[in-house]
Amino acid sequence: MDSKETETALQQLASDDGVVREKARKSLVATHSPEVIRALISELVDPRKQVRWEAAKALSEIGDPVAALGLVHAMDDDSKEVAWIAAEGVAAMGTAGLTAVLSGLTRSSRCPEFHKVAHHALKEFHKRGTNREIVETVMQALEGVEPRLTAPVVAYEALSKLRLAKTSA
């Protein structure tokens, strides 16, 4: 897929026709070049919800860890549908995705909605068997009495454990 075809496919993500959007998304996913990934990350901030959803879905299907931070930012989207598809996508990225979610939580004194979406992502990590012990600890913090206070601290500690495990491996 050349630059012109990529641009056309990106424009088609805004189509009112679901079949056109799906075909465009699938062609972008099939290409999964660095150019396409960068372009899709840019689309995560498009003013149109459907374009953000399509971009998050495509990045989730591509599964390149380069998109992990972009998807974590999309987990804070005003649209619950965009946020949840981003959470599922980042969970499919394994440890790189978990690192991005934990990093997002360390900076989080955000609204409870972000915590709900992060919890959803952590449940997905748990289902996939990604660092279960670490995931369970952070989930407990999010389920606790004051997650705005405890979750960033616990996420930071979990992030430190992940980094330590990575350097000793």
Side-chain angles (χ1 to χ4, degrees):
M1 180 178 277
D2 64 24
S3 294
K4 187 174 180 178
E5 291 171 321
T6 299
E7 187 58 38
T8 300
L10 289 167
Q11 289 171 358
Q12 291 173 337
L13 295 179
S15 174
D16 290 334
D17 185 338
V19 173
V20 170
R21 285 194 314 271
E22 184 177 4
K23 184 177 177 188
R25 184 181 72 241
K26 286 183 176 184
S27 91
L28 290 164
V29 169
T31 303
H32 69 272
S33 68
E35 175 190 0
V36 166
I37 292 168
R38 281 192 303 275
L40 287 167
I41 291 170
S42 300
E43 296 299 320
L44 291 173
V45 295
D46 190 279
R48 298 163 293 189
K49 175 181 112 175
Q50 122 188 347
V51 172
R52 296 191 312 272
W53 188 92
E54 292 289 350
K57 179 73 172 169
L59 288 167
S60 297
E61 290 175 8
I62 292 170
D64 191 310
V66 168
L69 286 175
L71 287 172
V72 168
H73 287 291
M75 286 170 49
D76 208 16
D77 197 281
D78 291 337
S79 163
K80 194 177 281 189
E81 293 88 359
V82 173
W84 283 61
I85 199 75
E88 291 169 4
V90 81
M93 295 177 181
T95 303
L98 180 58
T99 301
V101 170
L102 294 174
S103 181
L105 280 169
T106 62
R107 292 187 275 293
S108 176
S109 57
R110 294 179 175 135
C111 70
E113 283 304 310
F114 181 79
H115 291 150
K116 288 179 189 172
V117 176
H119 189 273
H120 176 63
L122 291 168
K123 282 173 53 177
E124 291 295 316
F125 283 115
H126 193 270
K127 281 183 199 173
R128 297 166 191 264
T130 305
N131 298 333
R132 280 200 167 137
E133 185 179 317
I134 289 173
V135 168
E136 287 171 1
T137 304
V138 180
M139 284 174 60
Q140 288 171 359
L142 288 170
E143 293 165 359
V145 178
E146 229 5 282
R148 286 179 3 140
L149 299 175
T150 58
V153 173
V154 172
Y156 178 79
E157 290 168 353
L159 198 52
S160 296
K161 283 182 185 175
L162 267 181
R163 288 184 178 142
L164 184 62
K166 186 177 181 180
T167 58
S168 63

Short mmCIF file of all heavy atoms in Angstrom, two decimals, residues 128-154:
data_model
loop_
_atom_site.label_atom_id
_atom_site.label_comp_id
_atom_site.label_asym_id
_atom_site.label_seq_id
_atom_site.Cartn_x
_atom_site.Cartn_y
_atom_site.Cartn_z
N ARG A 128 -5.33 -13.44 29.66
CA ARG A 128 -4.28 -13.89 28.74
C ARG A 128 -3.05 -14.43 29.47
O ARG A 128 -2.10 -14.84 28.82
CB ARG A 128 -3.88 -12.72 27.82
CG ARG A 128 -5.00 -12.24 26.94
CD ARG A 128 -4.67 -10.90 26.31
NE ARG A 128 -5.81 -10.32 25.67
CZ ARG A 128 -6.09 -10.41 24.39
NH1 ARG A 128 -5.28 -11.09 23.60
NH2 ARG A 128 -7.16 -9.84 23.89
N GLY A 129 -3.06 -14.34 30.81
CA GLY A 129 -1.95 -14.85 31.60
C GLY A 129 -0.73 -13.96 31.64
O GLY A 129 0.35 -14.41 31.97
N THR A 130 -0.91 -12.69 31.31
CA THR A 130 0.21 -11.76 31.30
C THR A 130 0.51 -11.28 32.72
O THR A 130 -0.29 -10.56 33.31
CB THR A 130 -0.10 -10.53 30.40
OG1 THR A 130 -0.47 -10.98 29.11
CG2 THR A 130 1.09 -9.59 30.30
N ASN A 131 1.63 -11.69 33.28
CA ASN A 131 2.08 -11.24 34.61
C ASN A 131 0.95 -11.19 35.62
O ASN A 131 0.68 -10.16 36.23
CB ASN A 131 2.75 -9.87 34.50
CG ASN A 131 3.97 -9.91 33.63
OD1 ASN A 131 4.62 -10.93 33.49
ND2 ASN A 131 4.29 -8.80 33.02
N ARG A 132 0.30 -12.31 35.81
CA ARG A 132 -0.91 -12.39 36.65
C ARG A 132 -0.75 -11.80 38.05
O ARG A 132 -1.63 -11.10 38.52
CB ARG A 132 -1.39 -13.83 36.75
CG ARG A 132 -2.16 -14.24 35.53
CD ARG A 132 -3.02 -15.44 35.83
NE ARG A 132 -3.96 -15.59 34.74
CZ ARG A 132 -4.26 -16.75 34.21
NH1 ARG A 132 -3.71 -17.85 34.67
NH2 ARG A 132 -5.13 -16.82 33.23
N GLU A 133 0.35 -12.10 38.71
CA GLU A 133 0.53 -11.61 40.08
C GLU A 133 0.52 -10.08 40.13
O GLU A 133 -0.15 -9.47 40.95
CB GLU A 133 1.83 -12.16 40.66
CG GLU A 133 2.04 -11.81 42.12
CD GLU A 133 3.34 -12.41 42.65
OE1 GLU A 133 3.63 -13.58 42.35
OE2 GLU A 133 4.04 -11.68 43.36
N ILE A 134 1.26 -9.47 39.23
CA ILE A 134 1.32 -8.01 39.15
C ILE A 134 -0.05 -7.45 38.81
O ILE A 134 -0.53 -6.50 39.43
CB ILE A 134 2.39 -7.56 38.13
CG1 ILE A 134 3.78 -7.86 38.69
CG2 ILE A 134 2.24 -6.10 37.77
CD1 ILE A 134 4.92 -7.62 37.72
N VAL A 135 -0.69 -8.03 37.84
CA VAL A 135 -2.01 -7.58 37.40
C VAL A 135 -3.02 -7.65 38.54
O VAL A 135 -3.79 -6.71 38.77
CB VAL A 135 -2.48 -8.39 36.17
CG1 VAL A 135 -3.94 -8.14 35.87
CG2 VAL A 135 -1.61 -8.06 34.95
N GLU A 136 -3.02 -8.75 39.27
CA GLU A 136 -3.96 -8.91 40.39
C GLU A 136 -3.77 -7.85 41.45
O GLU A 136 -4.74 -7.30 41.99
CB GLU A 136 -3.82 -10.31 41.01
CG GLU A 136 -4.38 -11.40 40.13
CD GLU A 136 -4.06 -12.81 40.62
OE1 GLU A 136 -3.40 -12.95 41.67
OE2 GLU A 136 -4.46 -13.76 39.93
N THR A 137 -2.52 -7.51 41.75
CA THR A 137 -2.23 -6.48 42.76
C THR A 137 -2.81 -5.13 42.34
O THR A 137 -3.42 -4.43 43.14
CB THR A 137 -0.70 -6.37 42.98
OG1 THR A 137 -0.20 -7.65 43.34
CG2 THR A 137 -0.37 -5.36 44.05
N VAL A 138 -2.61 -4.77 41.09
CA VAL A 138 -3.11 -3.48 40.60
C VAL A 138 -4.63 -3.49 40.52
O VAL A 138 -5.29 -2.50 40.86
CB VAL A 138 -2.47 -3.11 39.24
CG1 VAL A 138 -2.99 -1.77 38.74
CG2 VAL A 138 -0.95 -3.07 39.36
N MET A 139 -5.21 -4.61 40.11
CA MET A 139 -6.68 -4.71 40.08
C MET A 139 -7.26 -4.51 41.48
O MET A 139 -8.27 -3.81 41.64
CB MET A 139 -7.11 -6.06 39.51
CG MET A 139 -6.95 -6.16 38.01
SD MET A 139 -7.30 -7.81 37.33
CE MET A 139 -8.99 -8.07 37.81
N GLN A 140 -6.63 -5.09 42.48
CA GLN A 140 -7.11 -4.92 43.86
C GLN A 140 -7.06 -3.46 44.28
O GLN A 140 -7.98 -2.97 44.94
CB GLN A 140 -6.28 -5.77 44.83
CG GLN A 140 -6.57 -7.25 44.71
CD GLN A 140 -5.60 -8.11 45.52
OE1 GLN A 140 -4.69 -7.61 46.17
NE2 GLN A 140 -5.81 -9.42 45.47
N ALA A 141 -6.03 -2.75 43.87
CA ALA A 141 -5.94 -1.32 44.19
C ALA A 141 -7.06 -0.54 43.52
O ALA A 141 -7.65 0.36 44.12
CB ALA A 141 -4.58 -0.76 43.77
N LEU A 142 -7.37 -0.91 42.28
CA LEU A 142 -8.46 -0.23 41.57
C LEU A 142 -9.83 -0.57 42.15
O LEU A 142 -10.76 0.21 42.02
CB LEU A 142 -8.42 -0.58 40.07
CG LEU A 142 -7.28 0.06 39.29
CD1 LEU A 142 -7.20 -0.53 37.90
CD2 LEU A 142 -7.45 1.57 39.22
N GLU A 143 -9.94 -1.72 42.77
CA GLU A 143 -11.21 -2.14 43.38
C GLU A 143 -11.34 -1.65 44.82
O GLU A 143 -12.39 -1.80 45.43
CB GLU A 143 -11.30 -3.67 43.36
CG GLU A 143 -11.41 -4.25 41.97
CD GLU A 143 -11.13 -5.75 41.91
OE1 GLU A 143 -10.83 -6.36 42.95
OE2 GLU A 143 -11.19 -6.30 40.79
N GLY A 144 -10.28 -1.07 45.36
CA GLY A 144 -10.26 -0.64 46.77
C GLY A 144 -11.07 0.62 47.03
O GLY A 144 -11.73 1.17 46.15
N VAL A 145 -10.94 1.09 48.26
CA VAL A 145 -11.73 2.23 48.74
C VAL A 145 -11.36 3.52 48.04
O VAL A 145 -12.22 4.29 47.64
CB VAL A 145 -11.54 2.39 50.27
CG1 VAL A 145 -12.31 3.59 50.79
CG2 VAL A 145 -11.98 1.13 50.99
N GLU A 146 -10.09 3.81 47.87
CA GLU A 146 -9.64 5.08 47.30
C GLU A 146 -8.65 4.84 46.15
O GLU A 146 -7.46 5.11 46.27
CB GLU A 146 -8.96 5.87 48.41
CG GLU A 146 -9.31 7.31 48.65
CD GLU A 146 -10.42 7.98 47.89
OE1 GLU A 146 -10.24 8.36 46.73
OE2 GLU A 146 -11.49 8.14 48.48
N PRO A 147 -9.15 4.34 45.01
CA PRO A 147 -8.23 4.01 43.91
C PRO A 147 -7.47 5.22 43.37
O PRO A 147 -6.36 5.07 42.88
CB PRO A 147 -9.14 3.39 42.85
CG PRO A 147 -10.51 3.79 43.21
CD PRO A 147 -10.53 4.03 44.69
N ARG A 148 -8.05 6.41 43.49
CA ARG A 148 -7.33 7.60 43.00
C ARG A 148 -6.02 7.80 43.77
O ARG A 148 -5.07 8.34 43.23
CB ARG A 148 -8.19 8.85 43.12
CG ARG A 148 -9.28 8.91 42.10
CD ARG A 148 -10.16 10.13 42.23
NE ARG A 148 -9.75 11.05 43.27
CZ ARG A 148 -9.78 12.37 43.14
NH1 ARG A 148 -10.18 12.92 42.02
NH2 ARG A 148 -9.42 13.15 44.13
N LEU A 149 -6.00 7.36 45.01
CA LEU A 149 -4.80 7.52 45.83
C LEU A 149 -3.89 6.29 45.77
O LEU A 149 -2.67 6.43 45.71
CB LEU A 149 -5.19 7.79 47.29
CG LEU A 149 -6.01 9.05 47.54
CD1 LEU A 149 -6.42 9.13 49.00
CD2 LEU A 149 -5.22 10.29 47.13
N THR A 150 -4.48 5.12 45.82
CA THR A 150 -3.67 3.90 45.91
C THR A 150 -3.21 3.37 44.55
O THR A 150 -2.09 2.85 44.45
CB THR A 150 -4.43 2.78 46.65
OG1 THR A 150 -5.66 2.52 45.97
CG2 THR A 150 -4.71 3.17 48.09
N ALA A 151 -4.05 3.47 43.53
CA ALA A 151 -3.70 2.88 42.24
C ALA A 151 -2.41 3.43 41.64
O ALA A 151 -1.58 2.65 41.16
CB ALA A 151 -4.86 3.01 41.25
N PRO A 152 -2.17 4.75 41.66
CA PRO A 152 -0.90 5.24 41.09
C PRO A 152 0.33 4.67 41.81
O PRO A 152 1.32 4.32 41.17
CB PRO A 152 -0.99 6.75 41.25
CG PRO A 152 -2.44 7.04 41.29
CD PRO A 152 -3.06 5.87 42.01
N VAL A 153 0.27 4.55 43.12
CA VAL A 153 1.40 4.03 43.90
C VAL A 153 1.62 2.54 43.58
O VAL A 153 2.74 2.11 43.32
CB VAL A 153 1.18 4.24 45.41
CG1 VAL A 153 2.26 3.57 46.23
CG2 VAL A 153 1.09 5.73 45.73
N VAL A 154 0.53 1.78 43.61
CA VAL A 154 0.63 0.35 43.33
C VAL A 154 1.08 0.11 41.88
O VAL A 154 1.90 -0.77 41.61
CB VAL A 154 -0.71 -0.36 43.64
CG1 VAL A 154 -0.70 -1.80 43.17
CG2 VAL A 154 -1.00 -0.29 45.13
#
